[in-house]
């Protein structure tokens, strides 16, 4: 069975641009979360979606937004990119909130 | 902010030795999960231990949880060079928000 899949794996953007990252959860998983991991640190929670509704939001500015689609896949959008947004963006899924959370390989975003 | 803090930050051992990593956290939790991350890759789930459990085993891994001390430990027995990675503990807090809060990780180096 396929695990959590994310695209793209690597991308480079310029300050001020917009980026969209995509995630497909493990088949049957209805909860999707997004995390940001800056080099040398642990992941930081950005969003959680369950059954297409936002269930939690971390301490990130409004430039960050996300949504979950009817097939439970998800998108993370970041507007007006800053150099500090350069990080590994991880998507995770679980059957329901509170169960084991499985992570994808992540999307490396570099902002120049 | 980081909920969990791993100790030590870095650990170097010889193949065959045991490796112990500790994690402390600050608030009440539903569960605590340990993850491994190879350089630049996604997180691999190792073990989930619930707040009413004290010890769990999985292969060469042993995790303990002491909720009175708000601490957990991960023991890897008979380490292998392939165990070289960063290890993170992540807590799901007892606040209704089903998000993981990560520590900054322990970087384990196993020398062949």
């Amino acid at each position: 069975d396929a695990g959590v899949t994310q695209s793209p794996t690597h991308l480079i953007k310029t300050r001020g641009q917009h980026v969209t990252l995509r995630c497909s959860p493990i088949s049957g998983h209805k909860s999707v979360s997004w995390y940001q991991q800056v080099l040398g640190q642990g992941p930081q929670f950005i969003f959680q979606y369950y059954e297409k509704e936002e269930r939690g939001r971390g301490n990130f500015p409004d430039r960050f937004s996300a949504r979950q689609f009817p097939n439970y896949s998800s998108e993370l959008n970041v507007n007006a990119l800053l150099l500090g947004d350069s990080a590994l963006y991880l998507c995770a899924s679980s059957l329901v909130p509170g169960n084991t959370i499985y992570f994808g390989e992540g999307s490396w975003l570099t902002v120049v | 902010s980081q909920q969990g803090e791993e100790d030590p930050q870095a650990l170097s051992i010889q193949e065959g030795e045991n490796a112990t990593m500790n994690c402390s956290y600050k608030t009440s939790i539903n569960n605590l999960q340990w993850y491994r991350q190879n350089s630049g890759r996604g997180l691999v789930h190792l073990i989930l231990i619930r707040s009413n459990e004290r010890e769990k085993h999985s292969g060469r891994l042993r995790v303990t949880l002491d909720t009175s001390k708000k601490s957990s430990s991960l023991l890897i027995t008979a380490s292998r060079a392939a165990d070289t990675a960063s290890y993170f503990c992540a807590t799901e807090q007892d606040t209704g928000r089903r998000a993981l809060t990560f520590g900054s990780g322990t970087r384990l180096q196993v020398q062949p």
Side-chain angles (χ1 to χ4, degrees):
Chain A
D1 287 339
V4 178
T5 57
Q6 294 186 241
S7 64
T9 55
H10 294 80
L11 69 166
I12 300 173
K13 291 285 189 177
T14 303
R15 275 179 300 176
Q17 284 189 317
H18 163 92
V19 68
T20 297
L21 307 177
R22 295 177 175 84
C23 171
S24 293
I26 292 172
S27 178
H29 285 195
K30 299 181 179 180
S31 177
V32 171
S33 301
W34 287 94
Y35 290 78
Q36 180 198 64
Q37 186 178 22
V38 173
L39 201 63
Q41 298 182 17
Q44 296 277 337
F45 171 71
I46 310 175
F47 285 110
Q48 184 192 52
Y49 279 78
Y50 177 61
E51 290 285 14
K52 300 176 285 290
E53 290 187 4
E54 182 182 307
R55 295 300 182 96
R57 184 185 184 113
N59 189 23
F60 280 81
D62 292 343
R63 299 185 295 109
F64 288 76
S65 63
R67 54 180 176 168
Q68 186 176 33
F69 299 100
N71 66 353
Y72 302 107
S73 67
S74 178
E75 280 183 357
L76 175 70
N77 295 284
V78 187
N79 293 324
L81 285 167
L82 304 174
L83 295 180
D85 295 331
S86 296
L88 177 65
Y89 288 85
L90 295 160
C91 176
S93 76
S94 64
L95 202 58
V96 294
N99 278 30
T100 298
I101 296 176
Y102 298 93
F103 284 81
E105 290 294 322
S107 294
W108 276 105
L109 171 65
T110 300
V111 182
V112 297
Chain B
S1 62
Q2 303 283 352
Q3 151 84 321
E5 292 297 331
E6 286 90 342
D7 171 58
Q9 289 187 331
L11 180 61
S12 182
I13 59 174
Q14 296 295 125
E15 230 176 4
E17 294 180 339
N18 295 341
T20 299
M21 288 159 267
N22 302 296
C23 168
S24 60
Y25 57 92
K26 299 174 184 174
T27 63
S28 296
I29 61 172
N30 287 324
N31 63 63
L32 185 146
Q33 304 185 42
W34 283 91
Y35 289 86
R36 184 185 74 229
Q37 186 177 41
N38 289 75
S39 182
R41 306 293 301 276
L43 296 163
V44 175
H45 184 265
L46 298 176
I47 286 183
L48 179 152
I49 186 165
R50 300 196 184 277
S51 60
N52 60 353
E53 297 175 312
R54 293 296 168 257
E55 186 171 314
K56 286 189 85 169
H57 296 256
S58 176
R60 294 182 298 112
L61 307 179
R62 172 178 171 256
V63 167
T64 61
L65 178 65
D66 186 336
T67 53
S68 66
K69 295 181 179 178
K70 293 186 169 55
S71 67
S72 174
S73 67
L74 170 67
L75 169 67
I76 304 174
T77 60
S79 63
R80 306 166 182 169
D83 295 328
T84 294
S86 290
Y87 291 81
F88 294 91
C89 72
T91 55
E92 184 187 273
Q93 295 175 42
D94 186 19
T95 59
R97 190 183 82 165
R98 302 290 194 175
L100 292 178
T101 305
F102 284 82
S104 51
T106 292
R107 292 179 297 282
L108 174 65
Q109 177 78 40
V110 181
Q111 307 285 353

